[in-house]
Amino acid sequence: MYCLQAVIAAESVLRELAGSTTEARIVPLSQHLWLLPMSNALFDAVTVAEAPELDGFWKAPAGFDRLLSACSKAGPVAYVEADYFGGVGTQNALTWDAGKIVLGPLRLAEGESSPTTGTPISQALRRLGAAKGNHVDEFAAVGLGRHRDTDDWLPPGEAS
């Protein structure tokens, strides 16, 4: 099983996004990228009542696109989701830069083959400056396989 819902960007961008939200925790990846896991507590803290949801994403808080658009003025930012079980699953990614969507929404549905340009998350990571190097893809290169579930990225006692 692999399940991830998170924002990925440079540390300074995520620190601006997290701001004073006590539920936000950022963790380092490789290649100068950081990850902000979308925990249940963070989801509840940043959801904007009656704001539109990000179409096709299952754990993006309502109104979150406005926050991501605003913080992307400090640097590119991606919201990514992946859900796999037994090697079968889905991926979604959307990337903002300078206040605008610059990539996506990209979707890889269950049973679809990965495009030659890479999975949605790898394409988003590439847009953020990641390079696959000797790894199979950018996903592996930045270390997203280190944990199997979004909550596993959080310090002990802070999951969900």
Side-chain angles (χ1 to χ4, degrees):
M1 178 184 127
Y2 184 87
C3 188
L4 176 69
Q5 303 91 26
V7 181
I8 301 173
E11 180 182 14
S12 60
V13 175
L14 289 187
R15 291 217 181 273
E16 182 177 318
L17 176 63
S20 61
T21 306
T22 58
E23 296 81 5
R25 297 290 182 268
I26 66 170
V27 293
L29 297 170
S30 296
Q31 300 191 28
H32 307 288
L33 292 175
W34 288 65
L35 179 124
L36 169 65
M38 183 52 68
S39 65
N40 291 336
L42 178 59
F43 181 93
D44 292 343
V46 299
T47 296
V48 177
E50 300 182 28
E53 295 181 2
L54 273 176
D55 189 37
F57 290 83
W58 59 87
K59 197 164 181 179
F64 200 48
D65 58 325
R66 294 179 199 155
L67 276 171
L68 295 176
S69 174
C71 82
S72 77
K73 292 176 182 173
V77 59
Y79 180 72
V80 301
E81 296 181 337
D83 189 19
Y84 284 87
F85 185 80
V88 179
T90 62
Q91 279 192 24
N92 298 313
L94 189 54
T95 307
W96 291 259
D97 194 3
K100 297 181 181 180
I101 293 173
V102 294
L103 182 69
L106 301 176
R107 304 188 196 303
L108 183 62
E110 189 172 317
E112 282 185 330
S113 297
S114 293
T116 57
T117 54
T119 65
I121 293 176
S122 285
Q123 289 183 58
L125 291 169
R126 198 174 314 126
R127 179 72 187 175
L128 298 177
K132 74 177 188 173
N134 294 329
H135 298 274
V136 66
D137 59 13
E138 292 80 3
F139 186 100
V142 302
L144 284 175
R146 190 171 33 187
H147 296 292
R148 307 301 288 164
D149 187 78
T150 300
D151 287 343
D152 294 342
W153 290 95
L154 299 168
E158 291 190 23
S160 290

